[in-house]
Amino acid sequence: MNHVQPDYARKHPSPRNKRAAAVVGVGHTDWVGDWARCRAGEQPTDSYGYGIRAFNNALKDAGISRDEVDGLIAGPTTAYERLGELTGINPRWGGQADAVLAVAQAVMAIEAGYAEVIALVYGNDQRSVGTQYGGPEAMGGGAFLSYVYHSPWGLTSQGALYALTLQSYKHARGFTEAEMGEVAVAQRGWSSMNPNAIMRKRISIEDYMASPFVCEPLHLFDYCLINDGGVALIIAEAERAKRMTERPVFIEGVGRFDLNRGATSLEPRIDDFYLPAQQAAAAQSYALSGLGPKDMDVLQVYDSFSVHVPLALEGYGYCGVGEAGKFLREQGIGPGQKQPVNTSGGHLSETYMQGWAHQIECVRQVRGECGERQVAEARHAHYTSDVAGKCFSIIYGR
Amino acid sequence: MNAIEAKTPKPVMGLYDRPMWESISARAMRLQRCRACSAWQYPPGPSCPQCLSCELEWTEVSGRGKILSWVVFHRQYLPAYPAPYNSIAVRLAEGPTMITNLEGAMPGADSIGRDVRLVYVTMPDGMVLPRFELAD
């Protein structure tokens, strides 16, 4: 149903958006420490508390005070007004958004002159409060009918939706179980060098193949973590950003395209593998930035499940359609390999911050602050996500 | 709680879902077909996504379809579904895709593309579910 793209899929955003805004500060919470505390039965704080801790760290990183912030975007798990109350910000631009929409809205609000310095604040106490991503009370059912509609047939978990995707993708492309394993193995390779990562023990393809299925064909290692934490970014108008810091990281371009037709029956996932939307989003961001996949020193992919990675490699043009398996096997995405992907360890191994932590990894790689896992001379970092068919491409650069 | 006592997870029951579930209970599943453009839709809704017409007619499906994808759950999430159990995606001959279960066999490496036919299964709590079995 989604195979044919309309003409408007080839239109591009205004060039005014290119480098209109830059990230001037990033912050996060103690994922590793809070993981241990949550596992011990403690509740270190709530979603707002995680957001505030991350916000404080982002302000410190930016070297500014709260009073310079004139815009506030709250993540999806905290109510905008209450977060505004707790941050003490009376903004001239505000809203609520997930990670990609937050970055896109910040760029748009800044480009349009509605704000100059916007705080993006995310906090999530999903582990300590036991948020359910499957079962009879699956989170998100109000917004996504597919999360709950198939429950009479026993299918409710998010993992199951991506297991169906992987199964039909394997069939359509000849993609193998061992090729899928390359993603989890590579990301552990990265996380083993990341002191902020929760899972740091390296694994092999043999470990992957021997690990239990949860929802077959997905193995345990294909699933993201569920942990508590927060992330914050400060995004400023480009000229002001240059005055604020010597190391602004510009948003070079943002592209977006969504597949909604047939969404409840999962057609964009199991028929299209999100491909037409990824290609449209990629084309917008590449046209805007004047950059392409070959320019990207690091790629960060939203990885609630590992299958997002091969879909993204094909959809955003890192390899040909149908070639992701070969790419993963022969070129590689791990440390020292052709295309570094999810250099923090991602949702699978670092922290599950619903795409937010991927933004700060992009920023830190471009700044050159990643220590042992730093990709040499990284200038451009690319973030992609395709959650429930909403495909985004965000390019960061110096 | 064992599967005999377990309640089948309740379907989403919006205004337009009810007639479909009544037809399933009567073992003659009907879906909405657009009077203007003849397109079928699933899940049910107020209007036709193809042409936006609000003139829809409940029509019995042929019960024929093909397997698009499958999974096997190795963990139990729901009391009515002890592991292992399967779910499959079926493209109905009428066009729409349904998420359902394969009866009579577990899906495997050769399942995608196989022809299936609709069967009605009475769950331990009495609820009737539309499921599919291999037709070839």
Side-chain angles (χ1 to χ4, degrees):
Chain A
M1 193 183 281
N2 292 300
H3 294 292
V4 178
Q5 287 188 51
D7 287 344
Y8 59 75
R10 289 188 285 278
K11 294 195 172 179
H12 295 146
S14 160
R16 290 191 311 273
N17 292 289
K18 177 180 179 175
R19 293 171 73 90
V23 180
V24 296
V26 295
H28 66 88
T29 56
D30 178 10
W31 298 315
V32 175
D34 289 334
W35 171 260
R37 293 180 66 187
C38 289
R39 300 271 285 183
E42 291 178 51
Q43 280 188 279
T45 180
D46 62 8
S47 292
Y48 296 93
Y50 290 118
I52 296 292
R53 291 170 192 199
F55 178 50
N56 273 318
N57 289 335
L59 286 173
K60 201 177 300 168
D61 183 57
I64 63 170
S65 85
R66 185 260 316 270
D67 300 332
E68 287 195 59
V69 174
D70 64 354
L72 174 66
I73 299 178
T77 55
T78 49
Y80 163 74
E81 184 188 70
R82 176 69 178 143
L83 188 72
E85 182 176 14
L86 286 166
T87 53
I89 297 170
N90 291 332
R92 61 192 186 103
W93 178 265
Q96 187 143 29
D98 61 21
V100 280
L101 277 170
V103 175
Q105 285 179 17
V107 172
M108 290 190 280
I110 286 168
E111 196 281 319
Y114 282 94
E116 281 184 15
V117 182
I118 304 184
L120 285 61
V121 181
Y122 168 84
N124 197 336
D125 57 7
Q126 56 193 342
R127 179 94 202 179
S128 55
V129 302
T131 301
Q132 296 295 305
Y133 292 93
E137 304 295 331
M139 181 283 314
F144 300 99
L145 191 54
S146 62
Y147 292 8
V148 292
Y149 201 79
H150 313 297
S151 65
W153 297 274
L155 188 135
T156 60
S157 68
Q158 306 253 334
L161 307 185
Y162 283 100
L164 281 168
T165 307
L166 176 58
Q167 195 74 269
S168 55
Y169 177 76
K170 286 171 75 175
H171 181 79
R173 306 278 202 258
F175 190 77
T176 68
E177 189 175 2
E179 287 165 348
M180 187 71 275
E182 296 284 353
V183 172
V185 171
Q187 291 191 201
R188 276 296 174 86
W190 289 114
S191 69
S192 72
M193 301 185 286
N194 177 4
N196 297 318
I198 291 170
M199 295 291 172
R200 298 190 61 191
K201 186 170 170 242
R202 281 176 175 265
I203 57 169
S204 65
I205 291 288
E206 291 70 34
D207 295 330
Y208 173 86
M209 298 295 277
S211 70
F213 285 123
V214 180
C215 185
E216 183 183 350
L218 292 179
H219 287 266
L220 179 63
F221 288 125
D222 293 311
Y223 281 67
C224 65
L225 300 161
I226 303 287
N227 62 290
D228 279 19
V231 175
L233 295 95
I234 313 288
I235 296 183
E237 185 276 324
E239 292 309 312
R240 189 151 168 197
K242 286 183 215 165
R243 294 195 297 274
M244 290 166 95
T245 175
E246 288 175 359
R247 42 171 202 173
V249 175
F250 294 90
I251 294 143
E252 305 276 349
V254 177
R256 174 186 183 174
F257 199 88
D258 300 359
L259 297 181
N260 294 325
R261 292 192 180 195
T264 303
S265 293
L266 313 176
E267 290 174 15
R269 305 165 190 251
I270 63 179
D271 273 359
D272 300 310
F273 314 118
Y274 300 142
L275 183 71
Q278 292 170 325
Q279 290 174 329
Q284 291 172 31
S285 61
Y286 294 156
L288 199 53
S289 63
L291 301 166
K294 289 196 168 46
D295 301 307
M296 303 306 167
D297 301 292
V298 297
L299 169 64
Q300 311 293 336
V301 179
Y302 186 100
D303 58 331
S304 50
F305 301 94
S306 59
V307 64
H308 284 286
V309 172
L311 304 190
L313 290 172
E314 295 184 7
Y316 296 95
Y318 287 82
C319 63
V321 173
E323 293 175 3
K326 188 165 183 276
F327 187 92
L328 287 166
R329 248 185 306 114
E330 295 181 3
Q331 314 280 320
I333 61 171
Q337 295 184 309
K338 167 89 173 172
Q339 178 63 60
V341 174
N342 288 343
T343 49
S344 63
H347 289 154
L348 301 183
S349 292
E350 185 197 37
T351 181
Y352 178 50
M353 294 285 102
Q354 300 182 314
W356 292 76
H358 291 63
Q359 313 308 314
I360 65 174
E361 179 69 7
C362 285
V363 170
R364 288 174 173 160
Q365 284 284 349
V366 169
R367 286 181 181 171
E369 294 176 342
C370 287
E372 203 187 340
R373 71 182 189 282
Q374 177 66 43
V375 174
E377 293 169 44
R379 287 193 65 83
H380 298 115
H382 188 191
Y383 176 72
T384 69
S385 73
D386 42 34
V387 181
K390 185 173 79 187
C391 293
F392 259 93
S393 171
I394 301 177
I395 298 168
Y396 293 91
R398 275 190 255 157
Chain B
M1 189 188 294
N2 65 37
I4 306 301
E5 301 161 343
K7 287 280 184 204
T8 306
K10 277 203 179 71
V12 172
M13 199 60 83
L15 181 62
Y16 298 95
D17 297 299
R18 197 167 297 282
M20 179 182 78
W21 284 102
E22 286 168 1
S23 73
I24 290 165
S25 292
R27 296 172 179 266
M29 185 169 79
R30 296 193 299 168
L31 296 179
Q32 295 159 304
R33 190 174 194 194
C34 177
R35 285 205 172 107
C37 77
S38 302
W40 296 74
Q41 69 166 303
Y42 178 85
S47 56
C48 171
Q50 297 296 321
C51 74
L52 303 182
S53 166
C54 295
E55 299 300 319
L56 307 173
E57 188 166 26
W58 288 99
T59 311
E60 190 174 343
V61 298
S62 68
R64 289 180 291 113
K66 269 186 197 301
I67 297 177
L68 289 181
S69 191
W70 61 271
V71 298
V72 173
F73 291 84
H74 292 264
R75 281 192 192 178
Q76 182 164 355
Y77 293 94
L78 302 154
Y81 283 94
Y85 68 97
N86 74 76
S87 286
I88 58 173
V90 171
R91 161 89 15 92
L92 302 177
E94 288 79 6
T97 301
M98 263 190 93
I99 306 302
T100 173
N101 309 109
L102 185 66
E103 275 286 305
M106 282 301 247
D110 64 345
S111 292
I112 292 179
R114 295 283 295 273
D115 289 322
V116 287
R117 67 174 155 255
L118 178 60
V119 292
Y120 297 94
V121 173
T122 305
M123 298 293 280
D125 64 350
M127 183 174 170
V128 179
L129 277 185
R131 288 180 167 169
F132 287 79
E133 63 182 17
L134 294 173
D136 51 3

